[in-house]
Every structure is written in C-alpha cells, then in structure tokens.
Amino acid sequence: MIRDYLVLLSWLCAVQGKIGYFWHITDIHYDPRYSTQANANACWNTRNGVNSGRKTPGEFGDYACDSPWALVESAASAMTSNRGEGIKFVLWTGDALTRTTGMNVELRLQCLRNLTDLLSRTFKEQFVFPALGHDDIGVNFSQLAEIWQHWLPQEALDTFKTAGYYTIEQRSEKYRIIFLNTNLWLNTADSRMLHRSSGSMIDNAHDPFEQWSWFQKTLETARRKKETVYIVGHTPPGIDDRESGAAVLSERHNTKYLQVIRLYSDIIRGQFFGHWHTDTFRVVYSDTGLPVSWIMMAPSISPSTPGGPNNPGLRLYKFETTTGQVLDYTQYYLNLPDANSIGTANWLPEYSLLEYYELQEITAIALHDLADRFTQFNDYAFVRYYAANTVSLPREVEQIWGCGGPLNGVCALHHYCTVTRLNPESYRECYSSYAFALSSTGPSTPRLYFSLLVLLVCAELLRNR
Ligand SMILES: *[C@@H]1O[C@H](CO)[C@@H](O)[C@H](O)[C@H]1NC(C)=O
Ligand SMILES: *[C@@H]1O[C@H](CO)[C@@H](O)[C@H](O)[C@H]1NC(C)=O
C-alpha cells in the first residue's frame, strides 16, 4: 500500500518535473601576468590595438587584456551569492589559459590548479565538468585528468586520459552529457600545432582519436536507453559572429557535426559551447530546412577578444531535471569600467532569455523565429540581441568595434546569417545575396528593411522547397 503510494508520488513528481540549475562558464583566459601598475606591461596578451584609454589598468581587468585573478575570484563569489542552491552541476567550456607561447608547462599547470581549486571551493557540493579549449594546450591529457580527477568518474577519466573527451550519465534522471574535445576537429593548421604541443601527431583527416565513432556510439546508446542528451564543447560549428579570425572547425568536421546533430536531434536537448566570447546562438536545420536543434554560446569571463571587447559574463540555466528540457537562462554580467572605478565587482543579472525576447519556450523553432525577427524593421529583437552580443558593452567602446549598430541593416543581416547558416559557404550565400540588394539603398531606411524582408521571404520559400 505504502509502496503504491510512493510509486504514485514519484510518478507525480516525474510528471511535474523537478527544476534544477546549472552554471555555464567559459573562456576565463586567466592571465597571471596581469598588473595594475602604471606603465607596466599590463598583461601577457594585449589584444591588437584595443585600448581603454586608461593609463593604469583597473583592478578587475581591462578590455585590452585577459582576466586578472581578481576578476576570476569575483566571478566565483558571484556564482555563490546569486544562486548557491539547486545547482546540479557546472559546465566549464575551456580556454582557461591566456593565449601566449610565453608560459611554460609548470606555469600552465599552476594556473589550471589554481582555477580548479577556486571552482572546487566555490562548488563544494557539485561537480564541475570541463571541456578542453584550444588554448588549454601544452599540458597533456593525463596531467589534466589528474587535476580534474575529483570531478570525473572513472569511466570518464578513462576516455579523457587518452583523447580529452568523455560522457557523464545521470542514471537517476535519464539524461546524459557528452563532452567533446573540439581541438581534434579544428582546421589542420591549428590542430597540427595543438597536437605537437600535446605530444602526439595525429591524422586529422579521418577520425582523430576516434572521437567520431565514440560520439555516434554514445548517442546510439543514449537513444537505446531513452536518455536525452546535452552536447558540450569549446569550439562550436559555424562561423564567428564578430569575425575575430579565431580557430574554426575544419570544413569536413563541421559538415559531419551538423549531419550527426540532424540524425540525433530528437534526443538532443541542448548544445552548449564557448569560444567566440560573445553572447549568441545558432539554429541547426534539417536537410529539408526545418529547425531541428539549437546551440547556445555563452559569453566569456575574459573581457578581451581579437574581434573586439565584451563585458565579462556568467550564465545560469534553468532546466527540468527529469527530461533535460532547458527552460530558461539568466545572463549575469560585470560592468567592467564601473567595477574598476568603484573598486567593487557587482555582478548583476543582465537579462533572462524568455522575457528579454518574449519567447514562450526554448526550442529550435522558437529560436529560428527569433533570428527572423532580427531583420524586421519594427521589431526590437535585433536591438536587444546586439546589446547582449557584447554583454552590454558601453556604447563608446562598442562603436569602435561593432558592425555598425543595431539600426544598420547590413549589420543585422550579418548576424542573421551567422545564426542561421552554419557553414562558410551558406553564410556567404546568405550574406551576399541580400547585401547586393542592400547596396543600392541608403543605410537604415525602412525601404532597406523592406527589401531585406522580401528577400528573406523568398529565401525561406526556396529553402523549404
Ligand atoms: C597559485 O596560487 C598560489 C597560492 O595562492 C600562489 O602562490 C600562486 O602565485 C598562484 N599562481 C598562479 C599562477 O596563479
Ligand atoms: C604527460 O606529461 C607527463 C609530465 O611531463 C609525462 O610524465 C607523461 O608521460 C605524459 N603523458 C603522456 C601520455 O604523454
């Protein structure tokens, strides 16, 4: 009797769906050389030409530099104070280290250990699941496995040690997280460099470290066990929305990735990546042009990117723990100039996804519709997306780096094409076919938007044919 009652209760809970949260942090790019002393060489990686105009770099960072320790520490305490409870796990999608060839293995290890210690102290009850970025190199897989072994179960450690990828199965909840080592799929020039520094040369052309066969086998297992899946990695497929020239997946691996996602889109509940440092998303379409899956890219903690600066960001997802359905997220951010001038890092909520764009749910179709709104003249969607994209960067800084502002039709078009076209060729097609029509009209006029809209409708019809 009591057992029946318990079964009923647990069934009711399952139907209602338990709510859980997870943080997604990415691209910390910790720079141990950052210095606030005037005229000192402020940081290891001064990004080309970015200059905040200040003589002395601020305590919490500078738009020209990667993260100082004070910024990383402030991010950690913001995560504790903004939501200490209900956190199920933390996704940490790589590029923990600043990009420089000047750091030796010992210093790299020390940076990674210090970051790992900080996150372990911040999340005493939760596991942090790391994914490798292309700047986390010079340290081999077994050394990393040793640093992160307290977070990873044995089965995960086994694959991580040999190839940097792993899966976490939440047996009680029926969802699974797959962590990819996207370094293995970068274009050849980049990956050759990566593999040399990690001590082994591999053939990038086919199935490096057998990640493809492992990935598909894991998805097949998940389908058989009726699990839903999150896919997590550093470098996403598709192209950069700020043209920073950063590493991309090789064309072959990019295409294959999209094919695999299409095949398993029915069980994939979300894809989470970092790398571009911007706040953005992508929609994956089926062969017949239907939106079938989505990818979210969280903005970086580092305020600096080759393609232009951004404010530091942290993202908190809300999800249904029984199904893995992602319900919403809240984006937190730090206004860097404010933090430096008052000497305190006040991390604040920037926006929540559903409310910000007036969405009903997070699905591929809803996000496809959102992207379409970017190009509509009297819709606020692109204005909001544009502000979020650089994490509410101050206007005067943004103007130097942006693609012309939220009222520029070509700028809206560029973002629309990056969000909806995930390979370089279809992006170029998307961009150039509409841009041709735009060039004959003046900027940011209703007419421009109207022609854009007409073309979009045509493209829609063509794509769905
Ligand atoms: C790591 O932390 C230790 C102990 O706080 C400190 O002495 C050391 O300078 C830190 N190293 C780096 C690279 O952050
Ligand atoms: C990783 O590096 C350590 C320290 O240099 C070395 O002892 C070990 O053999 C390396 N492991 C692999 C798999 O290369």
Side-chain angles (χ1 to χ4, degrees), residues 255-333:
T255 305
K256 179 146 175 107
Y257 182 86
L258 297 173
Q259 282 166 353
V260 171
I261 297 304
R262 285 182 195 116
L263 275 176
Y264 293 93
S265 61
D266 57 319
I267 59 168
I268 295 168
R269 288 290 172 275
Q271 303 170 65
F272 305 90
F273 286 83
H275 183 54
W276 300 135
H277 292 206
T278 54
D279 179 332
T280 183
F281 63 95
R282 300 286 181 268
V283 181
V284 180
Y285 296 87
S286 72
D287 291 328
T288 53
L290 297 172
V292 290
S293 195
W294 54 258
I295 308 172
M296 291 285 174
M297 277 80 111
S300 57
I301 289 180
S302 168
S304 145
T305 316
N310 53 279
N311 274 321
L314 294 168
R315 185 172 287 185
L316 181 67
Y317 280 95
K318 179 181 178 186
F319 74 116
E320 206 174 68
T321 60
T322 40
T323 59
Q325 182 64 40
V326 175
L327 301 172
D328 203 0
Y329 70 69
T330 301
Q331 181 63 45
Y332 289 85
Y333 84 117

Side-chain angles (χ1 to χ4, degrees), residues 85-103:
E85 287 159 39
I87 303 291
K88 300 295 177 189
F89 54 84
V90 179
L91 303 179
W92 179 18
T93 52
D95 275 11
L97 305 176
T98 187
R99 170 173 284 193
T100 175
T101 47
M103 287 206 284

Side-chain angles (χ1 to χ4, degrees), residues 161-174:
K161 269 184 203 159
T162 49
Y165 54 72
Y166 61 98
T167 178
I168 300 285
E169 188 181 0
Q170 307 280 20
R171 287 197 179 81
S172 58
E173 311 276 17
K174 303 299 270 183

Side-chain angles (χ1 to χ4, degrees), residues 127-130 132 140-169 179 214:
F127 292 113
V128 177
F129 298 130
L132 286 179
N140 68 33
F141 296 142
S142 23
Q143 288 168 306
L144 288 166
E146 199 183 312
I147 296 175
W148 293 332
Q149 61 183 340
H150 59 297
W151 287 328
L152 304 183
Q154 192 54 50
E155 192 191 345
L157 280 173
D158 290 344
T159 56
F160 186 89
K161 269 184 203 159
T162 49
Y165 54 72
Y166 61 98
T167 178
I168 300 285
E169 188 181 0
F179 295 85
W214 172 85

Side-chain angles (χ1 to χ4, degrees), residues 15-90:
V15 167
Q16 288 206 334
K18 285 181 289 176
I19 304 296
Y21 296 85
F22 64 90
W23 284 103
H24 179 188
I25 54 175
T26 194
D27 296 80
I28 296 176
H29 288 286
Y30 168 43
D31 184 345
R33 200 158 84 165
Y34 187 91
S35 160
T36 53
Q37 277 158 23
N39 305 321
N41 196 356
C43 51
W44 221 307
N45 187 5
T46 312
R47 308 279 188 194
N48 358 336
V50 193
N51 195 328
S52 62
R54 207 197 322 269
K55 267 213 177 97
T56 328
E59 177 186 356
F60 294 104
D62 192 282
Y63 289 133
C65 292
D66 274 331
S67 305
W69 186 252
L71 174 65
V72 184
E73 238 177 357
S74 80
S77 56
M79 288 191 283
T80 322
S81 55
N82 282 304
R83 181 162 269 283
E85 287 159 39
I87 303 291
K88 300 295 177 189
F89 54 84
V90 179

Side-chain angles (χ1 to χ4, degrees), residues 30 32 69 103 106-108 110-115 117:
Y30 168 43
W69 186 252
M103 287 206 284
E106 239 350 279
L107 185 53
R108 283 168 185 276
Q110 205 183 82
C111 290
L112 287 165
R113 283 203 190 96
N114 285 14
L115 291 168
D117 284 351

Side-chain angles (χ1 to χ4, degrees), residues 172-234:
S172 58
E173 311 276 17
K174 303 299 270 183
Y175 67 87
R176 174 191 290 275
I177 316 178
I178 297 176
F179 295 85
L180 297 170
N181 176 3
T182 52
N183 293 345
L184 302 176
W185 294 338
L186 296 182
N187 58 48
T188 353
D190 285 306
S191 57
R192 213 175 291 139
M193 173 196 77
L194 290 174
H195 300 134
R196 200 183 302 133
S197 60
S198 67
S200 58
M201 261 308 260
I202 48 135
D203 173 12
N204 191 45
H206 297 102
D207 189 3
F209 285 80
E210 294 174 343
Q211 183 166 230
W212 280 120
S213 41
W214 172 85
F215 185 30
Q216 279 178 273
K217 209 171 66 201
T218 310
L219 286 164
E220 206 47 55
T221 306
R223 176 172 280 161
R224 185 164 39 77
K225 291 184 163 183
K226 299 196 177 357
E227 295 168 334
T228 55
V229 175
Y230 289 163
I231 296 167
V232 180
H234 177 73

